[in-house]
Amino acid sequence: MSVSADNERVHSGETGRAYSQEASDQYDALTLIVRKRRGRLGAHSLYDVIGDRASMRTFMESHVFAVWDFMCLLKSLQAGLTCIDVPWVPTKNPDSRALINEIVAAEESDVDGDGRHLSHLELYIDAMDESGADSGPIRRLIASLQEGVSFTEALASSGAPAPAARFSTDTMEMVERGDLIEIAASFTLAREAIIPSMFRPLIRRVDTGDGVKSPKLRYYFDRHIELDGDEHGEMAKGLLCALCGDSMDAWRTATDSAVAALDSRQTLWDEIEESITVTMSASDRERAKTARARYLERDFSQVPDEEAVRKQDGFAQRIIYILSAVICGAVAFLILGPRPEGMAGQLDVSVLPTVNMSLNLTAGLLLLIALWFIKRGDVERHKKVMLAAFGFSAAFLVTYVIYHWFKAGPRQYVGDHRGLYLFILLSHILLSVAVLPLALFALYRGWHMQVAKHLKIARIAFPIWMYVSVTGVLIYVMLY
């Protein structure tokens, strides 16, 4: 395996400095070039044809080879960007080696649901066995490689599906060329980020269809989502900028490699889809044909690049914080602040406590329905029900403010459990303040299919939102 002069510059430390503005501009230009291809992969019609256990098995039997050659790319980068020799010396690009070592640790030495240390490939093979997919070809490939058989011979004798064999051959040819720029461009722009968010609901859809659970496969994709840290995007940019520097030839190499890798993945997805479609019934094949036609007609030229997404997210974050602060401040003022003389009693609001309770109850029920939909893999209905839940919660906020604006002071609790009531009331008020920005962030991330970020927020926002809805009903019951 040869190493180019550019690769040697990385080891010698010449690229250890912060990358230049020109390199940053070249990286941004590269992401613009590949964004349409990335968008097409993220919305591929393959996800529409995987609807039962048999199609899932067909997918997994090819996809496992992409999981394996991802590790080949990763280990090539580790060999080129970190010191694996003895005597050991630190390489001069700490950000790049930090990124690679972090991903290697996560991918090669993760833990399964039972606490065993396994690589993600081994996790995936376990998931294949659980789902009844044929793991024989990938096992034979690994066994042959462990015995010292060349990759070409090992792949030929493994019985790998033809689409997977072609895809892995493309990858290994690049790895054998040994150009770190090629490998890094493929890895950062065509592999790590191409873990479609559709896989989680897709697995649930299949599980719901036949009543068989796939906990190991769910765990595999959950781990990918959890380990895809927010900082990886900027670190990956730094890695490629450090390798290419201000060399236009290097950036052309990176561009060609990223485009070729994305096209190879597109071909793999196309061929897997075709192999699934030919086994379908006539009616299912017609539906798949319609989905494919819609996919081919879509315009992916307007897919936002990374910088546009960052700006959009930053703007949305500022709006959410400002909106939350304004609403909380306005509610506090309307309830506690001075009101015009004689305002109390100007409007009959006696029915509003019952309305408020009903809105809280409805929001809570909708949250449970939304949870049920996402557990079944129905993303679109989950989105719609969550928006409805937010609408009912917003309506509650409006009626709550109206009630307290025209009501002369809050209703006093006269029961025998005053301590419990005050605890519920205080926690309800405090968590109501906290849930507003959390809910807005969860809705925003979910609507834009930013799955990793959505999950992190939803795991906190959902129970708080549910608690606020339930305690709102309890407070009504205790008061009235």
Side-chain angles (χ1 to χ4, degrees), residues 174 371 403-404:
M174 177 180 57
L371 179 63
Y403 174 75
H404 283 281

Side-chain angles (χ1 to χ4, degrees), residues 52-54 57 205-213:
D52 58 18
R53 189 66 54 185
R57 289 168 181 160
R205 188 171 72 212
V206 171
D207 286 356
T208 300
D210 60 12
V212 178
K213 301 301 181 183

Side-chain angles (χ1 to χ4, degrees), residues 36 75 88 120 140 145 154 170 206 258 298 347 354 396 415 460 464:
K36 181 176 180 179
K75 299 300 284 187
W88 176 86
H120 278 197
R140 286 191 289 272
L145 293 173
D170 288 345
V206 171
R298 285 186 59 180
L347 180 69
T354 303
F396 162 79
I460 301 172
I464 295 177

Side-chain angles (χ1 to χ4, degrees), residues 197-430:
S197 56
M198 284 302 298
F199 279 135
R200 294 183 92 255
L202 184 153
I203 296 166
R204 286 174 170 165
R205 188 171 72 212
V206 171
D207 286 356
T208 300
D210 60 12
V212 178
K213 301 301 181 183
S214 305
K216 291 183 179 180
L217 187 58
R218 292 191 191 190
Y219 182 84
Y220 169 82
F221 282 111
D222 284 348
R223 291 301 291 161
H224 262 285
I225 291 171
E226 291 172 11
L227 295 170
D228 185 19
D230 295 341
E231 73 278 5
H232 280 187
E234 189 61 30
M235 292 174 74
K237 177 179 180 179
L239 166 62
L240 206 53
C241 286
L243 284 167
C244 295
D246 298 339
S247 169
M248 291 304 300
D249 288 339
W251 283 108
R252 278 191 287 269
T253 298
T255 302
D256 291 343
S257 179
V259 168
L262 287 166
D263 287 346
S264 181
R265 175 71 68 139
Q266 178 76 32
T267 300
L268 176 63
W269 260 212
D270 290 344
E271 291 180 342
I272 295 175
E273 179 184 9
E274 184 179 355
S275 63
I276 292 173
T277 304
V278 296
T279 64
M280 289 179 166
S281 64
S283 58
D284 288 341
R285 194 179 304 124
E286 192 61 32
R287 283 195 293 270
K289 183 179 179 181
T290 301
R292 178 70 177 178
R294 286 199 306 267
Y295 168 67
L296 293 176
E297 290 170 359
R298 285 186 59 180
D299 179 14
F300 292 96
S301 60
Q302 300 305 312
V303 176
D305 59 19
E306 294 178 6
E307 183 61 26
V309 170
R310 282 196 293 270
K311 289 181 179 178
Q312 176 180 294
D313 287 353
F315 177 76
Q317 179 174 306
R318 289 191 293 272
I319 292 297
I320 289 172
Y321 283 139
I322 292 171
L323 184 63
S324 299
V326 168
I327 291 176
C328 291
V331 170
F333 175 80
L334 290 172
I335 295 174
L336 304 175
R339 283 171 288 181
E341 189 71 26
M343 181 61 68
Q346 290 296 310
L347 180 69
D348 181 10
V349 293
S350 59
V351 72
L352 287 186
T354 303
V355 172
N356 291 342
M357 183 275 295
S358 300
L359 291 171
N360 261 325
L361 179 61
T362 303
L365 291 174
L366 288 172
L367 288 174
L368 292 176
I369 294 171
L371 179 63
W372 183 75
F373 275 133
I374 199 61
K375 290 293 185 183
R376 293 174 61 87
D378 195 334
V379 176
E380 292 306 315
R381 288 182 178 176
H382 171 76
K383 285 182 176 181
K384 292 175 182 177
V385 175
M386 285 304 302
L387 286 175
F390 185 80
F392 275 92
S393 292
F396 162 79
L397 179 63
V398 173
T399 57
Y400 182 83
V401 168
I402 292 173
Y403 174 75
H404 283 281
W405 182 249
F406 289 100
K407 177 79 168 58
R411 187 182 182 94
Q412 298 298 314
Y413 176 74
V414 294
D416 299 327
H417 306 285
R418 183 170 178 80
L420 176 62
Y421 169 77
L422 290 176
F423 171 79
I424 293 175
L425 178 63
L426 182 60
S427 61
H428 174 84
I429 292 172
L430 293 176

Side-chain angles (χ1 to χ4, degrees), residues 424-480:
I424 293 175
L425 178 63
L426 182 60
S427 61
H428 174 84
I429 292 172
L430 293 176
L431 291 177
S432 295
V433 174
V435 80
L436 178 58
L438 288 172
L440 287 171
F441 274 116
L443 289 170
Y444 174 80
R445 302 298 188 191
W447 188 260
H448 290 280
M449 294 305 290
Q450 298 175 359
V451 177
K453 295 178 180 179
H454 173 71
L455 286 174
K456 289 178 181 178
I457 299 173
R459 286 172 180 149
I460 301 172
F462 185 87
I464 295 177
W465 195 347
M466 180 60 70
Y467 180 86
V468 169
S469 298
V470 171
T471 52
V473 176
L474 286 177
I475 291 169
Y476 172 85
V477 171
M478 297 178 81
L479 284 176
Y480 295 92

Side-chain angles (χ1 to χ4, degrees), residues 14-236:
E14 293 175 25
T15 58
R17 59 180 174 79
Y19 51 83
S20 67
Q21 183 60 48
E22 182 177 351
S24 178
D25 292 343
Q26 289 299 326
Y27 178 87
D28 293 341
L30 173 52
T31 60
L32 285 173
I33 291 171
V34 302
R35 68 178 181 177
K36 181 176 180 179
R37 286 175 167 84
R38 287 161 63 92
R40 289 183 66 83
L41 278 170
H44 200 285
S45 50
L46 168 64
Y47 315 131
D48 294 313
V49 304
I50 302 177
D52 58 18
R53 189 66 54 185
S55 57
M56 175 65 81
R57 289 168 181 160
T58 300
F59 168 76
M60 295 178 75
E61 287 162 7
S62 286
H63 183 236
V64 67
F65 284 86
V67 176
W68 170 76
D69 73 8
F70 172 86
M71 283 301 300
C72 293
L73 290 174
L74 178 58
K75 299 300 284 187
S76 296
L77 288 173
Q78 187 182 36
L81 295 172
T82 71
C83 181
I84 58 174
D85 301 321
V86 178
W88 176 86
V89 292
T91 55
K92 298 302 177 77
N93 195 337
D95 289 338
S96 295
R97 72 171 182 253
L99 171 65
I100 298 304
N101 284 333
E102 181 179 326
I103 298 175
V104 167
E107 294 283 340
E108 192 173 23
S109 305
D110 205 356
V111 292
D112 68 1
D114 298 323
R116 297 180 302 158
H117 285 94
L118 293 175
S119 69
H120 278 197
L121 175 64
E122 291 164 313
L123 290 176
Y124 198 92
I125 293 173
D126 281 354
M128 292 179 69
D129 294 338
E130 173 189 70
S131 297
D134 183 10
S135 62
I138 189 64
R139 291 183 185 276
R140 286 191 289 272
L141 174 70
I142 294 171
S144 295
L145 293 173
Q146 288 172 335
E147 293 172 1
V149 178
S150 70
F151 165 73
T152 302
E153 293 176 358
L155 182 65
S157 61
S158 69
R166 286 189 284 271
F167 180 80
S168 294
T169 298
D170 288 345
T171 300
M172 292 307 295
E173 287 177 352
M174 177 180 57
V175 168
E176 287 299 323
R177 287 195 295 270
D179 189 325
L180 282 185
I181 292 175
E182 280 191 292
I183 297 170
S186 174
F187 182 83
T188 58
L189 294 171
R191 298 301 173 94
E192 182 67 3
I194 310 302
I195 301 295
S197 56
M198 284 302 298
F199 279 135
R200 294 183 92 255
L202 184 153
I203 296 166
R204 286 174 170 165
R205 188 171 72 212
V206 171
D207 286 356
T208 300
D210 60 12
V212 178
K213 301 301 181 183
S214 305
K216 291 183 179 180
L217 187 58
R218 292 191 191 190
Y219 182 84
Y220 169 82
F221 282 111
D222 284 348
R223 291 301 291 161
H224 262 285
I225 291 171
E226 291 172 11
L227 295 170
D228 185 19
D230 295 341
E231 73 278 5
H232 280 187
E234 189 61 30
M235 292 174 74

